[in-house]
Amino acid sequence: MWNHSTAVGGVSAAGRGPADPRIVILMLCAAVALALAVPNIRNGVFDAMSTDDAMRLVEVNDLIAGQGWFDLMQYRLDPPGSLMHWSRVVDLPLAALILMFRPLAGVAGAEAIMLTLWPTLLFGAALVLVAAIAKRMNDGVDSRAVQLAAITLASLSVPSLIHFRAGAIDHHNFQIVLLLCFLFLTLDIERSRLSAGLAGLSATLSLAIGLEMLPAIATACVAILGLLIWRGNAVSRQVGAFGAALTGSSLLLAVLLLPSHSLGTPVCDAFGGPYLLLIAGGGISHRWARAWHRPRRQD
């Protein structure tokens, strides 16, 4: 007698288990990107940009046109110009995408492709990281089911989705992805010095873009110190690697992003000298705490 639960090839539906998260991620990414793009079909992606998105596009085009890497002045904004506090970290991939597509689609076409492609790629990266975090936090439950639940909930997080709509090239979507990357890596900090070091790098990179994630990253740094106090020598090397990466990457990014004369200048909502001291000092404190917990040789 035919069993209605029997699938093609004799494999039951129950036996197949949940769908492959990678396929679901692709489907959800495409569906959400399409849903967010529908309101812009009539007027075009350029009209979908916020004022910050438009300002970012102007800054990127000025960089492509030859404006200096360290020169963040917008000379057409409130002449003789206004100094922008945004980071070149975001400008660089946007400029690369425009230059990549210019020979194929022209100037306006390349900008339109970039305005659509960049937020979509970041949303896909966010879903991949959400699935990876769910898998890493899974405690004996069906891994695929947990991943599918996590990425479905992430795809329904309407307040966050606005940062991944077509035309959204301001830095907030990039910061969300970097924070998810930071969380994913810190979950493995007890087992891997490499993950600890990459966590420090992702934290610094996020703060070099903007300081919106500073409270979350600072809280995680305190939790990492708490882990060192709790576990002691078992995690001292990993915490030391995290501190070294935090300090080293902040100093490197300061050299790459900040002109030397600006290091002593007070800044607002931007990576600068005062926050460099905070980030590097946080990394040094983790290194010091690690040295304090280093095993002592018995005489």
Side-chain angles (χ1 to χ4, degrees), residues 25-37 40 45 94 97 112-128 161-169 173-174 177:
I25 286 173
L26 289 174
M27 294 175 62
L28 284 175
C29 185
V32 171
L34 180 61
L36 293 174
N40 309 321
V45 68
L94 299 181
L97 286 174
I113 293 172
M114 179 274 293
L115 289 170
T116 303
L117 184 61
W118 177 249
T120 304
L121 290 175
L122 288 179
F123 182 65
L127 290 183
V128 169
L161 293 182
I162 193 67
H163 298 299
F164 296 97
R165 74 192 189 284
I169 57 172
N173 46 19
F174 202 1
V177 171

Side-chain angles (χ1 to χ4, degrees), residues 142-167:
D142 186 349
S143 177
R144 284 192 174 186
V146 170
Q147 289 180 282
L148 291 174
I151 60 179
T152 301
L153 289 174
S155 300
L156 297 175
S157 301
V158 177
S160 300
L161 293 182
I162 193 67
H163 298 299
F164 296 97
R165 74 192 189 284

Side-chain angles (χ1 to χ4, degrees), residues 98-220:
I98 291 175
L99 291 174
M100 183 187 305
F101 289 108
R102 266 189 182 180
L104 302 175
V107 175
E111 291 177 0
I113 293 172
M114 179 274 293
L115 289 170
T116 303
L117 184 61
W118 177 249
T120 304
L121 290 175
L122 288 179
F123 182 65
L127 290 183
V128 169
L129 285 167
V130 166
I133 291 169
K135 183 178 181 179
R136 184 161 285 181
M137 295 181 70
N138 179 36
D139 188 18
V141 186
D142 186 349
S143 177
R144 284 192 174 186
V146 170
Q147 289 180 282
L148 291 174
I151 60 179
T152 301
L153 289 174
S155 300
L156 297 175
S157 301
V158 177
S160 300
L161 293 182
I162 193 67
H163 298 299
F164 296 97
R165 74 192 189 284
I169 57 172
D170 194 8
H171 52 268
H172 298 112
N173 46 19
F174 202 1
Q175 285 181 305
I176 292 172
V177 171
L178 285 172
L179 187 64
L180 289 170
C181 183
F182 174 68
L183 177 58
F184 171 70
L185 292 166
T186 48
L187 289 172
D188 196 41
I189 202 169
E190 293 184 67
R191 294 180 291 272
S192 169
R193 278 186 287 176
L194 177 60
S195 293
L198 292 175
L201 175 60
S202 62
T204 306
L205 193 58
S206 175
L207 295 174
I209 294 173
L211 299 179
E212 288 88 346
M213 301 302 179
L214 179 59
I217 292 173
T219 301

Side-chain angles (χ1 to χ4, degrees), residues 54-112:
M55 193 74 253
R56 173 71 73 181
L57 183 58
V58 170
E59 184 172 293
V60 170
N61 280 327
D62 286 344
L63 177 64
I64 293 173
Q67 186 165 334
W69 177 263
F70 295 110
D71 183 8
L72 295 177
M73 185 72 72
Q74 280 301 313
Y75 296 97
R76 291 162 290 179
L77 181 64
D78 190 21
S82 296
L83 182 63
M84 300 299 295
H85 62 281
W86 289 343
S87 171
R88 289 294 193 196
V89 172
V90 181
D91 293 344
L92 190 60
L94 299 181
L97 286 174
I98 291 175
L99 291 174
M100 183 187 305
F101 289 108
R102 266 189 182 180
L104 302 175
V107 175
E111 291 177 0

